[in-house]
Amino acid sequence: MFDMGEERPAKISDEVYEAELFRLQSELVKLQRWTQATGARVVVIFEGRDAAGKGGAIKRITEYLSPRVVRIAALPAPTEREKGQWYFQRYVAHLPAAGEIVLFDRSWYNRAGVERVMGFCTPAEYARFMRQTPLFEQMLIDDGILLRKYWFSVSDAEQLRRFRSRLKDPVRQWKLSPMDLESIARWEDYSRAKDEMMVHTDTPASPWFVVESDVKKHARLNMISHLLSSIPYTDTPRDKITLPKRLPQSNGYVRPPRDLSTYVPDHVAELTGDPERRD
């Protein structure tokens, strides 16, 4: 993270950002097609502090991808039944089958972060998690899953700025949860928890990749570029697509009268002052 006296790198221009983002998104489409063709299984974990930019990165990754192939797993708080399961059990249910990619918007690492800091797990449960996680992830890797873990790192000043921005934004206020607000006061506690998590789970087989995210656009491009570079996908050939000719109209077809259907009100006409309705 940047020091207080250190100048940040110049922000990328919107024009360059949009062009590079679209290029990377085009490559993500190739990755999706390769995953389907080869039966690969990909898991990408997004972790980091609240307002670090995880959701924005996930949104850009999935923008042009099929939700039938690329799924987002954002699990709610565990139910009473799930609390009585093996800790990893509910996450296992969301792992990909052949030809699928799963993006975990937060993951089993909740136990190393919010549960640890807020006291939602016991010291014994936490210690067990730290022992089991490298073994659990090694099992996933041994079974052929391509696992990538990203930690989005945001400074305390930038996080606070983003929280204040959300507070004033009626369409993003829902992003401010009680846990988000608590994280402001417990900044150092979360820092210690993250450091300890890294010591135990940043392994050669399953390393953490840190994404500097004070500048969101930079973080998105850096993260997506790295993800693509880390997977040996190829541009899988696809069948040539030819649009069929429209069949001749069948004799006698007459479209039913418009007044037999219920249309949504023409709200746009009210905005533009044009009452004309188009079919």
Side-chain angles (χ1 to χ4, degrees):
M1 195 54 63
F2 306 115
D3 295 331
M4 295 299 292
E6 182 181 352
E7 290 187 8
R8 295 184 183 183
K11 288 186 179 181
I12 192 171
S13 70
D14 290 345
E15 182 180 5
V16 174
Y17 167 74
E18 293 295 342
E20 179 60 9
L21 177 61
F22 186 75
R23 187 190 73 80
L24 293 173
Q25 289 174 324
S26 299
E27 291 298 315
L28 287 168
V29 173
K30 295 178 185 178
L31 172 61
Q32 172 183 257
R33 194 163 61 242
W34 173 83
T35 301
Q36 291 179 283
T38 61
R41 292 171 292 163
V42 181
V43 170
V44 186
I45 289 177
F46 294 78
E47 290 287 349
R49 296 181 187 273
D50 300 312
K54 301 179 295 297
I58 292 172
K59 180 179 179 180
R60 272 67 182 185
I61 289 172
T62 59
E63 186 171 3
Y64 297 110
L65 303 182
S66 169
R68 296 179 179 85
V69 179
V70 182
R71 294 184 287 106
I72 301 172
L75 277 60
T79 64
E80 287 302 317
R81 181 177 183 276
E82 288 171 335
K83 290 178 182 179
Q85 296 175 343
W86 176 46
Y87 177 73
F88 296 95
Q89 188 168 337
R90 72 188 191 118
Y91 295 101
V92 169
H94 294 270
L95 292 175
E100 293 181 347
I101 300 172
V102 175
L103 311 179
F104 278 93
D105 186 357
R106 297 199 182 278
S107 65
W108 44 87
Y109 283 99
N110 275 340
R111 175 137 294 177
V114 63
E115 291 191 17
R116 165 71 163 172
V117 172
M118 300 303 296
F120 295 156
C121 66
T122 66
E125 289 171 332
Y126 173 78
R128 188 182 311 121
F129 171 83
M130 287 301 195
R131 291 195 308 271
Q132 290 184 348
T133 298
L135 301 175
F136 172 67
E137 292 177 357
Q138 187 64 57
M139 285 193 295
L140 300 183
I141 294 168
D142 289 345
D143 202 58
I145 288 178
L146 299 173
L147 176 63
R148 302 293 182 269
K149 303 187 304 192
Y150 292 95
W151 177 270
F152 283 69
S153 179
V154 64
S155 65
D156 53 350
E158 177 61 18
Q159 184 194 49
L160 187 58
R161 188 195 68 77
R162 293 176 186 178
F163 280 162
R164 287 171 174 163
S165 176
R166 290 178 179 182
L167 194 61
K168 302 174 183 177
D169 190 339
V171 299
R172 294 192 300 156
Q173 286 180 356
W174 64 271
K175 289 188 173 184
L176 280 176
S177 69
M179 290 296 102
D180 294 334
L181 301 178
E182 189 69 25
S183 69
I184 297 175
R186 294 176 179 263
W187 176 271
E188 289 190 2
D189 292 338
Y190 274 99
S191 294
R192 293 189 186 93
K194 184 265 292 185
D195 292 344
E196 188 170 354
M197 176 195 78
M198 292 287 188
V199 168
H200 289 84
T201 63
D202 184 19
T203 65
S206 180
W208 278 103
F209 298 102
V210 178
V211 182
E212 293 280 14
S213 62
D214 268 18
V215 182
K216 289 182 178 181
K217 291 181 179 179
H218 295 194
R220 294 164 190 163
L221 296 182
N222 291 339
M223 181 265 153
I224 298 173
S225 175
H226 180 272
L227 174 64
L228 290 167
S229 71
S230 74
I231 298 177
Y233 72 98
T234 57
D235 190 2
T236 306
R238 43 179 186 166
D239 296 334
K240 184 178 179 181
I241 299 175
T242 303
L243 295 178
K245 293 182 178 179
R246 190 182 298 275
L247 296 175
Q249 293 184 356
S250 59
N251 295 329
Y253 172 75
V254 177
R255 180 174 176 173
R258 290 177 60 92
D259 57 9
L260 294 181
S261 299
T262 302
Y263 289 84
V264 299
D266 195 349
H267 176 63
V268 174
E270 298 177 9
L271 300 175
T272 61
D274 181 8
E276 183 179 337
R277 296 173 62 179
R278 290 187 173 89
D279 191 3

